[in-house]
Amino acid sequence: MNKRERVFNLLEGKPIDRTPVGFWLHFPESMHHGDAAIRAHMDFVQQTDADILKVMNENVLYDGESRILSTADIGKFRSFGRKDKQFIDQMDIIKRIADQARGEYPILATIHGLIASVFHATGFSGNYVGMGYGLSIFCREKPQQMKGVFDMFTDTLMELVDCSLEAGADGIFYAALGGESKWFFHDEYMEHVSGFEQKLYRHIKEKTPFDVLHICKSDVDFSRFTVLDPTVVNWSVYHNHVSLTQGAELFPNSIILGGFQDRSGVLVDGTPEQIREHTRKILKEMEGKPFIVGSDCTLPTEISTDRIRCVVDEVARQK
């Protein structure tokens, strides 16, 4: 069974020869665009022998000029589309990777979620941990204006989904922020954001059977995302203290992706035998449940691909 058959059989509830494996990371900045980006993706997936080729997205939706610091700046938010350089560059990367992959791998295109994309557009990308509260304050002070912003970005991201699939992606990896209880109260999120996010996620599911919901950060209110009914779901097991099997109960219709910590723990710091032992442990925990072996989030840029290959090889031995 090849990699595409393995993953799509799992998605369709058909028999598979073994559990699929999918890991990813942010490549060095020098490999974010052009030939270097294509080579980095292909080298990574070939060296690790993973089953999924996830195309990273470093083309954040920011015009390079605006700074949105207060409610007085909300009018500076703008839409993006297929004629913008961010779309053009990302579609070129996806197309060239798809051409080189030649159908061997199922290709996931990364879409930064609604909260992430709106935050990127403020001009402070990379500072979400310290400044993410700003969007919740905007919603409290200017609720109608912010609903207009989320509506506009919903349309932008729906077009980005369409363009990504047209360029050669098989599926969408939706990276969601906004679940953190410290920024939005539950009712605020459901009122101001969730309706738009549900519309966007329905669009993804209408366009492809391969959708992955990645829930970023810790202290997450999972009920904000269970309503999306993702085909595949991934979250930080270790930062949210929600195990793989507990997550399977929260998302009963979803395939669970995970098992390893991303920035520390056995995959980053352990010996090869400890990595193999942990692989066997999570396979046993998820035995009989639809599952993809992966990590809580992106792995460290500098991690050795040998460590990931160790997981892939152990999974293959356990089939």
Side-chain angles (χ1 to χ4, degrees), residues 34-303:
D35 293 344
I38 314 308
R39 188 72 264 147
H41 282 84
M42 297 308 302
D43 285 348
F44 178 79
V45 77
Q46 289 166 358
Q47 290 168 13
T48 62
D49 199 31
D51 294 294
I52 297 169
L53 200 173
K54 178 178 178 287
V55 181
M56 305 304 287
N57 184 357
E58 310 298 350
N59 285 295
V60 299
L61 300 180
Y62 174 53
D63 63 14
E65 300 176 1
S66 303
R67 284 289 192 273
I68 300 171
L69 283 165
S70 71
T71 54
D73 300 323
I74 290 176
K76 295 180 182 179
F77 280 113
R78 52 154 287 195
S79 63
F80 294 83
R82 62 178 68 226
K83 293 183 179 180
D84 286 296
K85 63 181 181 180
Q86 294 90 343
F87 271 57
I88 292 170
D89 187 53
Q90 190 64 18
M91 296 318 105
D92 179 65
I93 291 170
I94 293 172
K95 183 180 186 307
R96 292 175 63 192
I97 288 173
D99 288 345
Q100 289 206 18
R102 297 178 181 176
E104 181 179 356
Y105 304 93
I107 295 174
L108 276 177
T110 303
I111 302 290
H112 300 294
L114 193 54
I115 288 289
S117 294
V118 173
F119 184 78
H120 289 162
T122 65
F124 296 98
S125 177
N127 294 294
Y128 182 78
V129 171
M131 298 178 66
Y133 64 88
L135 296 185
S136 59
I137 292 175
F138 290 175
C139 287
R140 289 165 197 161
E141 295 184 359
K142 297 289 183 179
Q144 291 308 121
Q145 277 187 273
M146 286 306 296
K147 285 179 180 178
V149 170
F150 288 127
D151 189 23
M152 177 172 65
F153 272 81
T154 297
D155 288 342
T156 286
L157 293 173
M158 287 168 63
E159 185 170 15
L160 184 55
V161 166
D162 294 348
C163 289
S164 298
L165 297 172
E166 290 168 14
D170 297 294
I172 299 297
F173 183 97
Y174 181 88
L177 290 171
E180 314 93 320
S181 301
K182 64 180 180 179
W183 295 156
F184 285 93
F185 295 119
H186 175 79
D187 290 347
E188 288 179 327
Y189 190 88
M190 301 309 289
E191 177 184 353
H192 296 291
V193 183
S194 183
F196 298 109
E197 190 159 60
Q198 290 179 57
K199 177 183 177 181
L200 170 56
Y201 212 86
R202 281 196 302 271
H203 181 79
I204 294 171
K205 295 189 70 170
E206 288 168 0
K207 294 289 183 173
T208 174
F210 192 12
D211 63 277
V212 178
L213 171 63
H214 168 62
I215 304 170
C216 295
K217 305 305 179 185
S218 58
D219 191 27
V220 165
D221 176 358
F222 284 91
S223 65
R224 301 178 189 182
F225 302 111
T226 54
V227 294
L228 301 181
D229 192 26
T231 301
V232 183
V233 64
N234 168 244
W235 69 95
S236 177
V237 168
Y238 296 91
H239 289 158
N240 287 288
H241 307 294
V242 175
S243 70
L244 296 172
T245 48
Q246 288 171 330
E249 293 176 0
L250 288 173
F251 295 90
N253 302 318
S254 303
I255 298 163
I256 306 302
L257 189 162
F260 284 89
Q261 287 178 266
D262 53 328
R263 296 306 171 111
S264 61
V266 65
L267 187 58
V268 177
D269 304 315
T271 65
E273 180 50 40
Q274 287 172 330
I275 294 172
R276 289 191 288 268
E277 181 181 357
H278 188 81
T279 302
R280 294 191 293 270
K281 176 184 174 183
I282 59 176
L283 287 173
K284 184 173 180 57
E285 178 182 354
M286 295 302 288
E287 188 173 3
K289 299 180 178 68
F291 181 50
I292 299 172
V293 175
S295 61
D296 287 356
C297 197
T298 51
L299 294 173
T301 296
E302 66 278 3
I303 193 171

Side-chain angles (χ1 to χ4, degrees), residues 302-317:
E302 66 278 3
I303 193 171
S304 168
T305 53
D306 290 342
R307 290 180 166 273
I308 301 167
R309 184 64 180 259
C310 187
V311 177
V312 176
D313 290 347
E314 185 61 31
V315 171
R317 276 193 286 269

